[in-house]
Amino acid sequence: MRRDDRDDPFDDFFSEIERMMDDMMHGTDGGYDDAGFGSDTHLDVQETDEEVRIIGDFPGVEKDDLSLKCDGRTLTISAVTDTREYDERLELPCRVDERSGSASYNNGVLEVTFERAEESANIGFE
């Protein structure tokens, strides 16, 4: 879109808006990659008394491109596609039972659920 008003006092303003729109649409160093989203993927952590749930948006990523690992304190999410590499270590809000983990992936939305681990173990006397 090019404005034809040569004496328009807002010409510089509209030129700058056009430049920013072109940068966003063509991905020229605006913090966006070829997949069309920012380099930081949004992760949401929800915590209840029984479980911890992590929900993340991964548009354009196939289920087979995702890899998940958990050590009880940290969840590592990795994704590799032709246009993107993502590797995130998420510190969990509490200790979880990593063996209880379950994950689902549907339409670019990842959901991972863990049962909370006992905070401490009771030690008995012999």
Side-chain angles (χ1 to χ4, degrees), residues 1 5 19 21 34 44 49 51 55 63 75 80 83-85 88 95 112 114 118:
M1 178 176 119
D5 301 330
R19 185 196 62 76
M21 292 298 289
D34 292 338
D44 184 34
D49 290 340
E51 67 182 19
I55 301 171
K63 180 179 175 181
L75 174 65
V80 178
T83 59
R84 178 178 191 214
E85 286 188 35
E88 175 79 20
R95 184 154 182 73
V112 184
F114 294 100
E118 295 295 324

Side-chain angles (χ1 to χ4, degrees), residues 42-108:
H42 177 73
L43 294 174
D44 184 34
V45 178
Q46 301 171 354
E47 183 181 7
T48 68
D49 290 340
E50 293 84 29
E51 67 182 19
V52 174
R53 177 172 295 168
I54 299 93
I55 301 171
D57 298 322
F58 293 87
V61 176
E62 297 296 323
K63 180 179 175 181
D64 294 337
D65 297 331
L66 285 169
S67 171
L68 305 172
K69 294 180 183 173
C70 183
D71 65 3
R73 290 267 182 211
T74 304
L75 174 65
T76 302
I77 304 172
S78 302
V80 178
T81 67
D82 293 338
T83 59
R84 178 178 191 214
E85 286 188 35
Y86 178 82
D87 193 37
E88 175 79 20
R89 291 176 50 93
L90 177 66
E91 190 73 28
L92 299 172
C94 64
R95 184 154 182 73
V96 299
D97 178 3
E98 62 270 17
R99 292 175 297 282
S100 72
S102 66
S104 66
Y105 189 70
N106 190 18
N107 293 329

